[in-house]
Amino acid sequence: MARIISPSMLSADFGHLDRDTRMIDRSAAEWIHIDVMDGVFVPNISFGFPVMKAIRQASPKFMDTHLMIVEPERYVKRFAEAGADLITVHIEATNQIETCLQLIRESGAKVGVSIKPATPVSRIETLLSQLDLVLIMSVEPGFGGQSFIEGSTEKVRELRRMIDRGGYDTLIEIDGGVSASNARELFDAGCDVLVAGSAVFRAADPENEILKMLHA
Ligand code: DX5
Ligand code: ZN
């Protein structure tokens, strides 16, 4: 199974975005997590295309784009043009999920779907054959620095069983409250990709923190 760390740029210092992106580029993290928030799907607004383009210029690493926006189908193409390698949309944010997935596929990006803490994994079961990744939110989406919601690990195990049973190669990613102290448990439960914002950027030595998560 894959073991990938995807540092969330939401916790970076935007006054030194280039420096922070280059640090991630040098690190053992394979992916870079991009949190896009619209102030409607979540009660917060983060950043959009120009910032993504700046990150893309500072690193060629895999851009893991997490859209916390309503009607994401309206913007899929532009996120792909801004450099997204994977586009993950929330199942709760659209009533046109099939259209959305098709647009992502047509854009050339990998296809992801995310579920909020209260959404059961059964909600995405019929989509699994079309998905490169499922993102399980382990905090309410909207802000970095929150505590991990414990029941999330059980959702990972349930999804792992579903994926293995169906013989899919869908990756499992988890996002929210992840650090070196729970990384081991999450990989063991079946996660392939761990997102970490504050744990990485608030560490005294972020590159070492990434290594600690990777080898937890
Ligand atoms: C929250 C975002 C997360 C966030 C994680 O809505 O999706 O990616 O940046 O931050 P930490 O790792 O600090 O919980
Ligand atoms: Zn995220």
Side-chain angles (χ1 to χ4, degrees):
M1 249 167 56
R3 268 195 176 210
I4 293 170
I5 307 297
S6 190
S8 167
M9 297 308 290
L10 190 64
S11 295
D13 177 350
F14 291 113
H16 296 95
L17 188 58
D18 192 63
R19 180 199 68 190
D20 282 5
T21 309
R22 285 176 201 281
M23 181 276 290
I24 298 302
D25 191 60
R26 281 194 308 273
S27 79
E30 285 180 52
W31 290 10
I32 297 182
H33 189 80
I34 307 287
D35 286 303
V36 180
M37 303 178 185
D38 66 354
V40 179
F41 183 67
V42 290
N44 196 11
I45 297 177
S46 58
F47 53 77
F49 309 115
V51 172
M52 266 184 82
K53 283 180 187 156
I55 294 170
R56 172 85 300 167
Q57 269 166 18
S59 173
K61 282 193 175 176
F62 187 91
M63 248 209 234
D64 162 26
T65 310
H66 177 195
L67 301 186
M68 286 160 275
I69 65 174
V70 295
E71 299 177 11
E73 55 276 5
R74 295 170 63 188
Y75 291 101
V76 161
K77 193 160 175 276
R78 290 196 57 198
F79 282 107
E81 285 165 4
D85 292 294
L86 161 73
I87 299 176
T88 299
V89 297
H90 269 269
I91 187 94
E92 307 90 352
T94 176
N95 47 27
Q96 298 187 47
I97 191 69
E98 292 286 349
T99 307
C100 219
L101 302 184
Q102 192 186 332
L103 284 168
I104 300 174
R105 221 173 295 120
E106 283 168 10
S107 80
K110 300 267 188 214
V111 184
V113 166
S114 183
I115 53 173
K116 298 208 283 185
T119 305
V121 291
S122 57
R123 183 92 189 268
I124 48 96
E125 186 162 12
T126 57
L127 298 174
L128 278 179
S129 63
Q130 305 179 56
L131 301 179
D132 295 300
L133 177 142
V134 174
L135 169 53
I136 294 187
M137 285 307 298
S138 40
V139 297
E140 284 303 332
F143 300 90
Q146 305 179 74
S147 307
F148 185 86
I149 297 172
E150 286 309 325
S152 313
T153 314
E154 197 41 52
K155 286 173 84 177
V156 172
R157 289 195 193 98
E158 191 186 343
L159 179 60
R160 180 85 269 158
R161 287 193 293 270
M162 231 178 237
I163 289 173
D164 292 349
R165 220 175 24 235
Y168 307 117
D169 51 11
T170 314
L171 297 175
I172 303 178
E173 180 175 47
I174 191 148
D175 182 5
V178 176
S179 68
S181 58
N182 57 8
R184 173 74 184 270
E185 174 191 325
L186 294 170
F187 281 133
D188 285 350
C191 288
D192 302 284
V193 187
L194 308 187
V195 176
S198 46
V200 168
F201 287 98
R202 280 191 211 145
D205 182 348
E207 287 184 63
N208 190 50
E209 204 58 30
I210 290 167
L211 283 175
K212 273 164 56 184
M213 293 175 67
L214 205 50
H215 302 302

